[in-house]
């Protein structure tokens, strides 16, 4: 059996706000910690049948980047739900939502 490990290192300021976020994974290309501006981690809690979430971002993460990050996450979820359950309806609904949100963000950026 193969073992894979993912690590996150978060440096916090005096108010416990992330100043820097770094990550590493045993299966990623290259070695060593890499910087990122944001992480979103979801874990299924079998015991309580609920989702546990950790969402962290640094002050360098712009509002536009944050919106695009979450649109990207939802798009990935659309593909995952299709791959894992073959539920085309759910997958398409999520993709259509992503398309509407991309349009919204693009229009918002033009106006700003």
């Amino acid at each position: 059996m193969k073992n894979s490990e993912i690590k996150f290192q978060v440096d916090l300021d005096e108010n416990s706000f992330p100043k820097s976020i770094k990550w590493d994974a045993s299966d990623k290309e290259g070695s060593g910690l890499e910087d990122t501006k944001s992480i979103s981690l979801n874990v299924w809690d079998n015991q309580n049948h609920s989702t546990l979430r950790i969402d962290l971002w640094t002050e360098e993460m712009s509002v536009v980047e944050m919106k695009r990050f979450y649109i990207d996450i939802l798009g990935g979820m659309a593909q995952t739900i299709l791959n894992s359950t073959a539920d085309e309806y759910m997958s398409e609904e999520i993709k259509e939502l992503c398309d509407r949100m991309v349009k919204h963000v693009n229009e918002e950026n033009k106006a700003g």
Side-chain angles (χ1 to χ4, degrees), residues 32-93:
L33 291 169
E34 292 187 30
D35 289 319
T36 188
K37 294 179 184 178
S38 183
I39 62 173
S40 181
L41 178 64
N42 299 284
V43 178
W44 179 249
D45 179 350
N46 283 331
Q47 186 174 10
N48 296 309
H49 300 281
S50 63
T51 302
L52 307 174
R53 295 177 35 138
I54 299 172
D55 295 305
L56 300 172
W57 59 94
T58 66
E59 59 189 17
E60 284 91 35
M61 185 82 169
S62 72
V63 171
V64 172
E65 287 175 314
M66 183 65 83
K67 290 178 181 184
R68 292 193 183 277
F69 178 53
Y70 278 95
I71 292 168
D72 227 18
I73 289 171
L74 286 171
M77 288 178 177
Q79 189 60 51
T80 298
I81 199 75
L82 182 62
N83 294 346
S84 63
T85 68
D87 190 327
E88 292 182 20
Y89 175 80
M90 282 187 70
S91 179
E92 285 303 314
E93 288 292 311

